[in-house]
Amino acid sequence: MNIAVIGAGPAGLMAAEVLSAGGARVTVYERMPSVGRKFLMAGRGGLNLTHSEPLDAFLARYREAMPHLRAAVEAFPPDALRAWSEALGQPTFVGSSGRVFPQAMKASPLLRAWLRRLDQFGVQFALRYHWTGWTAAGALRFETPDGEALVQPDAVVIALGGASWPRLGADGDWIASFRAKGIGIAALRAANSGFHVTWSDLFRDRFEGQPLKGIALALGGETVRGEAMVTRDGLEGGAIYALSAPIRDEILTQGEAVVHVALRPDLTGSELTARFSKPRQKQSMSTYLRKAAGLLPVAIGLMQEAAIAAGLNLSEMDSETLAAFINAVPVRLAGVAPLARAISTAGGISFDEVDAHFMLRKMPGVFVAGEMLNWEAPTGGYLLQACFATGAAAAEGALDYLKR
């Protein structure tokens, strides 16, 4: 069995491992001069491989795509991914948030060990091979430094990613080739992205780059806790990413989205009201909020920014109103950060176009995996887990297809 894998990210490399372990001769084709570039980028701040929460809760993070991803993730669940990493000499640990990391906290040692294993399995790599579609006869077409190359494998697993961080190799240019074959594709959209806020010059210049820690964000009945970072033109960070799908969709349909920020979600309204029961006297409002509610300057600045935008005056609020405002600060999000700056991508090949093994129904022998498929998930290990799992599932599907 001669099988091609196109794309050397986590989904493609996992497909190559499963295929070679299953007895196939595997060549991985990658347009960049080295492999796993986005994987390495993901590991710069600590490689979040997966998450330790119960599997049912884990699967729910994939929202509408959960039924389509369930079998793949159940076949290669978080525990299997941790065991796989440990077998490569990279044991993992569970952080305080439940996220799972390699003890080295980096992607590079894991990737090096992985490539050594693939080499031992006989996997070949063809770098600087840019896939451009199929010939009329069905051969894979590549642009290479030596000109065009045509490849006719027995089957192919394509894992070319979405379109975020295009300088690392995934820019979504595969879409045209698939649409030419009549494959249905949902438009690619930013996921786990920042959002635009029209800050005042005063707030932007003073608080750009400062984190809002220990907050809770609420939108449409959904609430998440975490952190957010004030950027020059908006907000980003873990709490924002966790709500990025509903925020993005509301902006696309309504033109904006209003999230409510709880700056002291650990305190109830009555507890905060009691803290404001003492008169402010000659204290400035900022000093009063800092002492009574334990708020940092960036949180106080956000309250003042939101109050001014709403035509309110914090100094005129009674203790109960002020307490309620602290845990429901309205922030108007007016736009989505560019796709190229997003952590991941929503949209892609419709699940209606693939069978249970991620083979294209219209193109037998062609399998797809990873972010090319129409799913999204928040950060926290869910992205990599699904990429690994769908890569493994597509590879198993290709082996089964060729055996049949």
Side-chain angles (χ1 to χ4, degrees):
M1 294 181 290
N2 180 22
I3 303 180
V5 173
I6 304 176
L13 294 179
M14 182 55 72
E17 178 173 339
V18 173
L19 290 167
S20 57
R25 295 187 303 275
V26 181
T27 301
V28 178
Y29 297 89
E30 167 60 44
R31 70 184 295 181
M32 303 301 284
S34 60
V35 307
R37 290 196 168 198
K38 191 175 179 183
F39 184 62
L40 291 172
M41 174 67 79
R44 284 191 175 181
L47 182 65
N48 184 192
L49 277 175
T50 187
H51 202 284
S52 62
E53 68 185 350
L55 191 57
D56 282 345
F58 188 103
L59 288 165
R61 305 292 185 175
Y62 298 109
R63 303 169 72 93
E64 297 86 356
M66 185 267 285
H68 307 289
L69 296 176
R70 175 185 285 276
V73 176
E74 287 180 340
F76 192 77
D79 286 347
L81 180 52
R82 296 185 68 183
W84 170 85
S85 180
E86 184 154 358
L88 287 172
Q90 299 298 314
T92 61
F93 71 95
V94 179
S96 58
S97 63
R99 299 183 179 199
V100 176
F101 302 88
Q103 287 183 4
M105 289 295 289
K106 295 179 181 179
S108 51
L110 179 59
L111 182 59
R112 286 195 298 268
W114 195 3
L115 292 176
R116 285 194 296 270
R117 173 185 283 179
L118 293 176
D119 181 64
Q120 292 167 0
F121 285 0
V123 174
Q124 300 294 309
F125 286 86
L127 303 179
R128 294 190 175 91
Y129 269 61
H130 180 196
W131 180 69
T132 58
W134 291 272
T135 66
L140 301 171
R141 190 190 299 272
F142 294 93
E143 291 178 358
T144 82
D146 300 320
E148 185 176 74
L150 303 180
V151 177
Q152 187 81 63
D154 297 317
V156 57
V157 177
I158 306 179
L160 287 172
S164 60
W165 290 91
R167 65 185 180 85
L168 301 179
D171 60 7
D173 73 343
W174 50 266
I175 290 175
S177 296
F178 282 86
R179 282 187 171 153
K181 295 291 186 180
I183 306 301
I185 299 173
L188 300 186
R189 307 180 305 282
N192 293 298
S193 65
F195 294 91
H196 297 308
V197 181
T198 306
W199 302 127
S200 67
D201 292 341
L202 179 64
F203 182 84
R204 178 192 301 112
D205 293 341
R206 183 174 180 189
F207 297 114
E208 177 187 1
Q210 293 195 28
L212 292 159
K213 296 186 176 182
I215 63 171
L217 292 183
L219 177 72
E222 189 171 355
T223 302
V224 298
R225 297 187 66 157
E227 295 186 8
M229 180 72 70
V230 175
T231 66
R232 188 150 193 85
D233 59 0
L235 286 172
E236 60 183 39
I240 288 286
Y241 301 153
L243 285 177
S244 65
I247 291 173
R248 179 198 64 230
D249 293 345
E250 186 157 326
I251 290 174
L252 292 176
T253 57
Q254 305 297 324
E256 64 178 19
V258 178
V259 297
H260 288 87
V261 184
L263 297 171
R264 289 303 307 268
D266 52 317
L267 297 176
T268 65
S270 58
E271 288 171 330
L272 283 168
T273 300
R275 291 188 177 212
F276 293 126
S277 61
K278 297 180 181 179
R280 182 159 64 95
Q281 297 179 335
K282 295 182 179 181
Q283 296 180 89
S284 69
M285 195 64 199
S286 294
T287 300
Y288 186 56
L289 290 168
R290 176 175 58 83
K291 290 184 176 181
L295 297 178
L296 294 175
V298 63
I300 296 169
L302 185 71
M303 286 184 65
Q304 293 170 331
E305 187 86 349
I308 292 170
L312 303 174
N313 188 330
L314 296 179
S315 298
E316 296 176 354
M317 293 182 180
D318 58 36
S319 58
E320 189 173 342
T321 303
L322 187 60
F325 193 78
I326 283 177
N327 276 342
V329 179
V331 178
R332 198 173 301 276
L333 306 176
V336 185
L339 175 56
R341 289 174 49 193
I343 291 176
S344 59
T345 302
I349 295 172
S350 169
F351 283 104
D352 292 339
E353 298 286 357
V354 299
D355 66 10
H357 301 288
F358 303 115
M359 184 175 76
L360 293 171
R361 300 181 190 277
K362 297 172 183 173
M363 301 183 70
V366 178
F367 296 78
V368 290
E371 279 194 76
M372 292 179 70
L373 292 160
N374 185 16
W375 62 274
E376 63 180 307
T379 57
Y382 311 102
L383 295 167
L384 278 176
Q385 179 69 54
C387 286
F388 283 118
T390 57
E396 294 284 5
L399 291 171
D400 182 66
Y401 167 78
L402 291 178
K403 288 174 183 176
R404 286 188 287 109

